[in-house]
Amino acid sequence: MSVSVKKEDLQRYHGKDTWFPLRHVSADSEVQGKVHIELRLSEVITDSGVVCHKLATRVLECQGLPIVNGQCDPYAAVSLLGPSRSEAKKTKVKRKTNNPQFDETFYFEVTRPLSHTKRQFDVEEEGVDKLALRVDLWNASNLKFGDEFLGGVRVPLRALGQAGVHDAWYFLQPRDNGGKPVKVDELGSLRLNIVYTEDHVFPSDHYGPLRDLMLTSANVKPVSASAAHILGEVCREKQEAAIPLVRLFLHYGNILPFLSAVAHAEVNRTQDPNTIFRGNSLTSKCIDETMKLAGNHYLQVTLRSMIDEICTDHKPCEIDPVKLKESENLETNRENLRQYVDRIFNMITTSGVRCPTVMCDIFFSLRESAATRFEVDQDVRYTAVSSFIFLRFFAPAILSPNLFQLRPHHPDPATSRTLTLISKTIQTLGSLAKSKSASFKETYMAAFYDYFNEQKYGDAVKNFLDLISSSGRWNQKSIETPIMLKEGFMIKRAQGRNRFGMKNFKKRWFRLTNHEFTYHKTKGEGALCRIPIENILAVERLEEESFKMKNMFQVIQPERALYIQANNCVEARDWIDILTKVSQCNRKRLSTYHPSAYLNGHWLCCKMSADTEPGCTPCTGGLPANIQLDVDGDREAERIYCLFSTYMDKLVNMQEACGSRSVYDGPEQEEYSCFLIDDPRETYKTLRVIISSVQTLEQQHTKYKRDMFRKTKIGSQ
């Protein structure tokens, strides 16, 4: 059974809950594609001098035909329908294409001389309008069941009109149901909420003034007077504004300045550090949307395997005694749940190296703004970040994995309950609340949380938050103490040595902070060598042939490369990942490198003799989590225009509110009090430019629709 809605009806159902009747699905009813047909009616004089009419039917091409069982070998069957008439002719089969070019013409006799026997067929001139042309598309099949129907179209000959010529595209239609009609109420109905968006996007130059106005929002003082902030003020839901804003700013690389500006303004308006970023403000919604877009790959590599295991294994994890089944054991369920929580917690807190750069930069900005605003509260620098990464990113993804592309469908009720319990626990672990048990309303959750009342969990969260909020374009002086990211014993090759020999390799204690990479003779001793993070130009694997040693990598500096051997391949990958992560925003990062060492006066990889020779292989380019988003900047600008146009009344009201506040300090009118206006004069200036830009685009849209209406021809492609 299925529900079908015509495209022209979609706008009528937009944003509404509607009941649609279910209908039977048959192979002949599921069609797609279109066909291009040309008809021409011509007069023909017979040998006896009698005039009759012939119809020339030209089947030019089809587009978008369905692929049946992995193949599409289409042909067209053309027939003339009328009283006692069913002539049929076929085109050649076009192999392996669902966009066939036929360009074949067939001729049909439409009117015949009256000398013909009337019992066979006799149509006068006025009878032509009763005829119709039928074009059916078929897939030529080698199976014994016969050819598959792809769709058809019926064209009445009255479409020829006075000119006797008709050239048009037609959407293919299902085959007529010759059987008994099915009553709609026998199959039931399905309730759907349809959201339909149709964007008419102009060339890029049309959006220049509006786009520039939006992209300079971060530079406007105060930021509440910027065009982007005003969009959030006039929209009914902040999410409406956040989606196109984030996509536009991400596309043009301006997301960090904008989010830093609006977040800083919100932090300064916050009075209680415990409520920081807890509301559904424009800042919160924009950061949520940024994490969804930029963090999708990060979620996949961090959580997907574990979510798949939970949904597949169906281990009982119910810990509410009231909901416990008779066959289940409470302690066993608690242990199952504890193991799941422990494993997911470890996956999250060890994933910091994979966190996308744009998210790290945003978290650093949040951390700095919060720490500056609430200097006394030592934990606010953590809670400002955890309120997003745990509360709005990981916890919702665990709770509803289908909404974050972690699972194709919503989990079954039992699994959904397990994911709910895990999500609650992870959310509380990440919150760093003073009293963890008190944060649960349910006594069974408070009791279960006792498993995690250990300092190691709090330390792991803080280390994770330190890592994801300090890497990127940070200023070293802004962080009071270096954050230790990774340490351990490895073997390094002495720098500057040219001779081959094991005596050049020594075991050293390596230590990486967000400031520098150092190695020591042993743990606790002074550093033998210090490499500032900004001096790391690339971190890449070193081919085994260089020193006949496995698990080697190189840390490339301006003067030389440091060659290091890790204990195993996993350890080598971890070091490469984290070193790449902390250095990937360095301005002088290399684009190429040498995958082998420089020995005996030449590079082993490219055989070049100069040790300063540029690399011969492209660098791996950082972590896979830093992906380029496929965003159409003009389309997002069009959507922003549509929002401003929809809420034009509010823009005018906001303009009036600015004027009112500029000249009157008394109580405000109720309709003006809903707007956040810090500087009426600057806000008024921005509003004036917004309204002018929107009106200009409105005129262009009106002209476009008028021209389209005038030029559009029924049957054109």
Side-chain angles (χ1 to χ4, degrees):
M1 294 181 290
S2 72
V3 162
S4 61
V5 184
K6 290 184 178 180
K7 183 184 177 183
E8 56 263 31
D9 293 337
L10 287 172
Q11 190 63 45
R12 184 151 55 97
Y13 300 119
H14 171 71
K16 301 174 184 176
D17 279 2
T18 310
W19 286 97
F20 293 93
L22 289 164
R23 303 183 187 280
H24 276 296
V25 176
S26 66
D28 289 346
S29 67
E30 298 295 300
V31 300
Q32 68 180 56
K34 54 191 175 184
V35 60
H36 187 189
I37 304 170
E38 181 186 287
L39 306 180
R40 189 178 297 274
L41 190 64
S42 305
E43 287 186 349
V44 179
I45 301 176
T46 65
D47 294 338
S48 60
V50 179
V51 177
C52 65
H53 290 82
K54 285 195 175 182
L55 178 70
T57 303
R58 185 182 177 197
V59 182
L60 288 97
E61 61 178 313
C62 292
Q63 289 186 0
L65 297 179
I67 296 174
V68 181
N69 298 323
Q71 67 156 17
C72 188
D73 298 328
Y75 68 90
V78 186
S79 57
L80 188 64
L81 307 178
S84 306
R85 184 185 289 262
S86 66
E87 301 180 32
K89 300 177 182 181
K90 296 179 181 179
T91 66
K92 294 177 182 178
V93 176
K94 298 296 180 180
R95 299 288 178 183
K96 298 181 180 179
T97 176
N98 65 337
N99 298 305
Q101 301 282 332
F102 295 114
D103 201 6
E104 294 188 39
T105 304
F106 304 100
Y107 295 92
F108 298 93
E109 198 171 52
V110 174
T111 61
R112 297 178 181 177
L114 292 176
S115 58
H116 277 73
T117 306
K118 289 194 175 186
R119 281 179 304 185
Q120 287 188 345
F121 186 67
D122 190 356
V123 179
E124 299 293 346
E125 289 289 338
E126 62 270 15
V128 172
D129 287 350
K130 298 178 181 178
L131 300 178
L133 186 80
R134 178 83 193 180
V135 180
D136 290 330
L137 273 297
W138 296 84
N139 180 49
S141 173
N142 296 323
L143 302 176
K144 61 181 180 180
F145 304 110
D147 298 345
E148 293 98 349
F149 178 73
L150 301 178
V153 62
R154 185 178 184 275
V155 184
L157 292 199
R158 61 175 174 269
L160 289 164
Q162 294 294 325
V165 178
H166 179 65
D167 184 347
W169 283 87
Y170 285 90
F171 283 110
L172 296 177
Q173 302 296 320
R175 189 153 52 181
D176 294 336
N177 182 13
K180 183 180 178 182
V182 180
K183 290 184 180 179
V184 173
D185 56 2
E186 290 180 0
L187 300 178
S189 300
L190 184 68
R191 188 174 72 173
L192 299 177
N193 186 300
I194 296 174
V195 177
Y196 176 70
T197 305
E198 185 176 288
D199 298 322
H200 296 272
V201 184
F202 288 124
S204 187
D205 58 300
H206 286 65
Y207 301 103
L210 181 62
R211 180 177 57 240
D212 294 344
L213 189 64
M214 305 306 295
L215 293 177
T216 55
S217 292
N219 303 326
V220 177
K221 305 296 182 192
V223 73
S224 61
S226 67
H229 197 279
I230 289 172
L231 181 63
E233 286 295 298
V234 299
C235 284
R236 185 178 60 183
E237 302 289 342
K238 302 293 185 189
Q239 187 73 10
E240 279 185 292
I243 293 173
L245 281 177
V246 166
R247 296 174 72 86
L248 183 75
F249 281 113
L250 276 172
H251 179 69
Y252 288 101
N254 286 18
I255 191 69
L256 181 60
F258 168 65
L259 288 181
S260 297
V262 292
H264 185 71
E266 182 171 332
V267 168
N268 286 340
R269 288 193 297 268
T270 304
Q271 301 302 316
D272 183 357
N274 295 317
T275 62
I276 195 167
F277 299 125
R278 291 302 170 96
N280 288 322
S281 63
L282 181 65
T283 306
S284 299
K285 290 298 182 183
C286 284
I287 295 177
D288 286 355
E289 191 63 26
T290 304
M291 291 192 298
K292 283 181 184 177
L293 288 170
N296 182 265
H297 180 273
Y298 177 38
L299 269 182
Q300 301 291 326
V301 297
T302 304
L303 291 181
R304 182 159 199 157
S305 61
M306 194 66 219
I307 297 295
D308 286 343
E309 181 181 328
I310 294 169
C311 293
T312 304
D313 289 355
H314 300 291
K315 287 184 180 180
C317 295
E318 183 55 72
I319 59 173
D320 183 355
V322 177
K323 296 181 180 180
L324 202 67
K325 295 180 181 178
E326 290 185 7
S327 59
E328 294 177 354
N329 179 277
L330 184 59
E331 289 305 316
T332 302
N333 288 8
R334 279 179 177 167
E335 181 58 22
N336 289 340
L337 185 61
R338 187 194 66 78
Q339 289 181 10
Y340 278 152
V341 171
D342 235 352
R343 290 170 63 190
I344 287 183
F345 178 81
N346 287 333
M347 285 178 170
I348 292 172
T349 54
T350 57
S351 70
V353 68
R354 293 188 293 273
C355 186
T357 305
V358 65
M359 289 173 60
C360 293
D361 292 341
I362 292 167
F363 295 150
F364 171 74
S365 179
L366 299 180
R367 171 191 177 113
E368 290 294 289
S369 293
T372 305
R373 173 74 173 86
F374 302 103
E375 295 180 355
V376 178
D377 193 324
Q378 294 299 310
D379 285 336
V380 73
R381 67 187 60 226
Y382 295 114
T383 55
V385 178
S386 68
S387 63
F388 285 103
I389 195 69
F390 281 101
L391 185 66
R392 297 172 179 266
F393 188 63
F394 283 121
I398 296 168
L399 183 64
S400 303
N402 55 304
L403 300 181
F404 291 80
Q405 293 81 52
L406 293 172
R407 293 290 294 177
H409 307 292
H410 188 73
D412 61 82
T415 305
S416 184
R417 172 65 176 165
T418 298
L419 294 174
T420 300
L421 296 172
I422 295 171
S423 179
K424 281 185 175 183
T425 312
I426 291 295
Q427 183 176 315
T428 308
L429 279 167
S431 68
L432 294 171
K434 300 290 191 297
S435 175
K436 299 294 179 64
S437 298
S439 61
F440 292 108
K441 297 177 182 177
E442 308 92 341
T443 54
Y444 61 86
M445 283 300 297
F448 173 70
Y449 197 83
D450 287 339
Y451 285 123
F452 305 98
N453 271 330
E454 296 182 33
Q455 187 61 37
K456 67 176 184 179
Y457 291 102
D459 291 343
V461 169
K462 287 187 175 182
N463 288 338
F464 169 67
L465 296 176
D466 278 335
L467 176 56
I468 65 172
S469 62
S470 63
S471 56
R473 302 174 183 85
W474 40 262
N475 176 0
Q476 293 185 23
K477 296 179 181 179
S478 66
I479 301 173
E480 294 80 0
T481 55
I483 301 166
M484 205 283 291
L485 304 177
K486 189 173 178 62
E487 58 184 351
F489 277 112
M490 291 189 289
I491 295 172
K492 67 99 185 172
R493 182 178 186 268
Q495 300 185 72
R497 300 290 180 87
N498 289 321
R499 291 202 317 275
F500 180 83
M502 287 303 296
K503 64 182 179 181
N504 288 332
F505 292 87
K506 295 181 180 179
K507 188 175 184 180
R508 293 288 183 254
W509 179 261
F510 285 83
R511 192 168 187 271
L512 174 66
T513 71
N514 58 331
H515 289 184
E516 60 183 5
F517 182 47
T518 61
Y519 62 79
H520 315 247
K521 191 167 186 179
T522 187
K523 184 177 181 180
E525 290 193 6
L528 298 175
C529 176
R530 298 180 183 274
I531 304 174
I533 295 299
E534 59 266 29
N535 283 0
I536 298 178
L537 307 184
V539 184
E540 300 286 348
R541 289 189 179 278
L542 188 69
E543 290 183 357
E544 187 178 331
E545 67 170 0
S546 297
F547 301 108
K548 304 296 186 286
M549 297 168 67
K550 295 182 178 180
N551 309 318
M552 290 201 71
F553 64 95
Q554 51 184 318
V555 179
I556 305 172
Q557 308 162 68
E559 300 298 326
R560 61 174 69 88
L562 174 61
Y563 301 132
I564 304 171
Q565 183 189 35
N567 298 320
N568 52 61
C569 61
V570 176
E571 192 73 11
R573 181 71 263 169
D574 287 348
W575 275 105
I576 292 171
D577 281 351
I578 197 166
L579 282 164
T580 301
K581 181 67 183 176
V582 298
S583 63
Q584 64 187 347
C585 290
N586 289 347
R587 294 178 181 178
K588 296 182 180 180
R589 274 188 67 85
L590 298 177
S591 57
T592 58
Y593 77 106
H594 292 283
S596 295
Y598 183 81
L599 290 174
N600 301 322
H602 69 275
W603 293 101
L604 298 181
C605 44
C606 58
K607 310 304 180 186
M608 300 300 290
S609 57
D611 60 352
T612 57
E613 190 71 28
C616 57
T617 303
C619 288
T620 53
L623 302 179
N626 296 292
I627 57 174
Q628 288 294 319
L629 298 168
D630 184 17
V631 174
D632 184 339
D634 295 334
R635 187 174 189 178
E636 302 311 322
E638 169 65 23
R639 288 175 173 171
I640 289 170
Y641 150 74
C642 288
L643 287 173
F644 276 135
S645 180
T646 301
Y647 295 106
M648 179 58 74
D649 289 345
K650 284 194 173 183
L651 286 173
V652 174
N653 285 344
M654 196 172 185
Q655 212 173 21
E656 292 172 356
C658 290
S660 174
R661 292 188 189 185
S662 297
V663 299
Y664 180 61
D665 293 332
E668 247 185 332
Q669 294 183 36
E670 187 175 348
E671 61 179 322
Y672 298 158
S673 61
C674 60
F675 300 121
L676 175 63
I677 302 174
D678 293 323
D679 188 328
R681 188 179 296 275
E682 287 298 320
T683 306
Y684 186 88
K685 287 180 183 178
T686 306
L687 283 164
R688 191 172 57 191
V689 180
I690 291 172
I691 292 172
S692 174
S693 300
V694 171
Q695 288 173 341
T696 301
L697 281 168
E698 189 81 55
Q699 292 168 3
Q700 292 169 346
H701 274 281
T702 302
K703 182 178 181 299
Y704 168 78
K705 290 176 182 178
R706 188 171 58 246
D707 291 345
M708 284 295 293
F709 181 77
R710 188 169 58 248
K711 295 175 182 177
T712 298
K713 176 186 172 185
I714 299 300
S716 64
Q717 188 175 16

